[in-house]
DNA sequence: TATTGTTATACTCTATAACTATA
DNA sequence: TATAGTTATAGAGTATAACAATA
C-alpha cells in the first residue's frame, strides 16, 4: 500500500513533461513492445515474423512486397523474414502464374497453428501487464488510443505523418 | 447483446489483435516518439540531449554516470551526448574537487533557455496530435497510462521488467 | 522503361569490454 | 582493488542503391 502510493507519487513528481501524454505514451509503448517480443520469443518468433503470419492469415495469399507494406517493413528487410518463415515451414513462396516476377506468399497449416499459439501467448501476456486496469478501463484505454491513432488530425492521419 | 455484436464483428475482421491494447499502445508510442523527435529537431536537439538537459535542470548538477542512469542511457553512450551539449555551450563539465575522477555536470543559462524552447515546442506538438481528444479525455488517458506504468504489476514494476 | 524480389552496402543505435586516471 | 569517464569495437536493425529476371 505504501509502495503503491509512493510509485504513484513518483510518477507525479518533477516537470510536467514526465506526466505528459507523449512521454507516458512512448514509454508505455516501448515497454509493451518489449513484453510482446518476450512473450513470443519462446515460440522462436520475432515481432516481424508474427506480423507477416498475421497479415497472411488475415488477408490471404499476397505478393511479398504487398505484405511488406502492410507490416510497415521495407521490401529488402522482408526477404530475410520470409526466408526464416519458409525455412521453418510456416509459409510458402509460390511463383505467380500471371506475373512470374511475383510470389504468392501462402501461410500453411503449421503457420496457422504457430500463429494461433502466438496469439494465445500474447493475450496472456497482455492480460498480465494490463493488471492494474479494470476491464472497463482497458476498454476505455483502447478506445482513446484508437481515436488518437485513426481520427483525423491524430497520430496516423495528421499532416504527412502517415506511413501507410 | 453487445457481446454478440462484438463477436460477430470479430469473426468478420479476423484476429482482433489489431485493436488490442498492446498493438495500439506500441504503435501510438512509436509515433509519439517520432513526433517528439521531429518537434525538437529544428532546435538542433535529439531526444537524448533533451533528456540530459531536463535531468540537469530538474535535479541540479550531477555526475555524468548518474545522469546517464536517469536518462536510461549507458555511460558510454552518454559521453558523446555530453560532448555535443558542451560543444554547443549548453552544459559544462567541472571536475569534482572531492573526487577528481568525477565531473559535476552543470546546465548553464543557454542550456536552460534551450530547454525552455524545447518544452514549449514539444507542448505545441503534443497539443496538435492530441487534437482528437477533449481535455477531459487527455487527462483520463494520462491517468490510465500512469497507472499502467507505475502501479504494481504494471509495465514498469511487473516481475523483472524494471529497467530503472 | 518499369517493377518484383534480391543482394550489397552503409549508417544509426546501442552494448561490451578494455583502457586511464584517480581513489 | 575498485570506480568515473573514455575509447574501440562489434552487433542488431534498417534504409539505400544497384542488380537480375520479367513485364
Amino acid at each position: 500500500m505504501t509502495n503503491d502510493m509512493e510509485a504513484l507519487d513518483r510518477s507525479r513528481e518533477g516537470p510536467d513533461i514526465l506526466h505528459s501524454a507523449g512521454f507516458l505514451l512512448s514509454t508505455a509503448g516501448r515497454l509493451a513492445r518489449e513484453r510482446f517480443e518476450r512473450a513470443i520469443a519462446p515460440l522462436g518468433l520475432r515481432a516481424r515474423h508474427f506480423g507477416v503470419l498475421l497479415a497472411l492469415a488475415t488477408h490471404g495469399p499476397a505478393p511479398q512486397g504487398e505484405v511488406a507494406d502492410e507490416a510497415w517493413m521495407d521490401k529488402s528487410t522482408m526477404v530475410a523474414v520470409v526466408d526464416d518463415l519458409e525455412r521453418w515451414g510456416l509459409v510458402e513462396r509460390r511463383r505467380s502464374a500471371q506475373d512470374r516476377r511475383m510470389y504468392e506468399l501462402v501461410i500453411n497449416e503449421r503457420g496457422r497453428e504457430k500463429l494461433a499459439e502466438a496469439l494465445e501467448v500474447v493475450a496472456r501476456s497482455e492480460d498480465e501487464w494490463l493488471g492494474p486496469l479494470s476491464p472497463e478501463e482497458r476498454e476505455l484505454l483502447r478506445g482513446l488510443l484508437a481515436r488518437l491513432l485513426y481520427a483525423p488530425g491524430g497520430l496516423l492521419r495528421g499532416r504527412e505523418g502517415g506511413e501507410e
Side-chain angles (χ1 to χ4, degrees), chain A:
Chain A
M1 190 53 168
T2 302
N3 278 337
D4 303 7
M5 298 307 289
E6 279 174 10
L8 287 172
D9 279 343
R10 223 176 299 129
S11 74
R12 291 196 195 99
E13 268 170 26
D16 287 345
I17 190 147
L18 295 181
H19 6 106
S20 73
F23 177 81
L24 293 169
L25 202 49
S26 74
T27 303
R30 188 169 46 79
L31 294 173
R33 167 84 178 208
E34 286 174 14
R35 296 283 181 132
F36 174 71
E37 291 272 10
R38 245 190 287 159
I40 60 174
L43 302 179
L45 296 178
R46 303 289 309 273
R48 327 152 210 191
H49 306 117
F50 179 93
V52 170
L53 288 178
L54 184 64
L56 290 178
T58 307
H59 301 312
Q64 194 166 306
E66 198 172 294
V67 177
D69 287 346
E70 196 171 345
W72 292 356
M73 224 180 290
D74 192 83
K75 59 175 182 168
S76 66
T77 308
M78 183 74 173
V79 176
V81 178
V82 178
D83 284 350
D84 289 338
L85 293 170
E86 203 176 30
R87 178 158 33 88
W88 300 336
L90 306 176
V91 159
E92 295 167 27
R93 281 180 168 110
R94 298 186 192 154
R95 279 291 175 194
S96 161
Q98 293 87 353
D99 185 338
R100 297 192 43 72
R101 291 173 300 182
M102 285 199 278
Y103 291 124
E104 288 285 297
L105 241 46
V106 185
I107 185 172
N108 62 22
E109 198 47 37
R110 270 190 72 188
R112 287 186 190 277
E113 286 167 16
K114 183 67 101 173
L115 177 61
E117 284 179 66
L119 284 166
E120 194 179 331
V121 154
V122 167
R124 267 208 302 277
S125 164
E126 282 201 12
D127 213 55
E128 193 180 312
W129 57 260
L130 281 171
L133 302 186
S134 72
E136 293 76 19
E137 288 170 325
R138 299 177 192 192
E139 189 53 45
L140 196 53
L141 178 65
R142 274 196 292 272
L144 292 171
L145 291 174
R147 280 174 50 212
L148 207 47
L149 281 172
Y150 298 108
L155 282 166
L156 266 174
R157 308 184 62 208
R159 308 190 319 120
E160 74 334 341
E163 293 176 71
E164 194 257 347

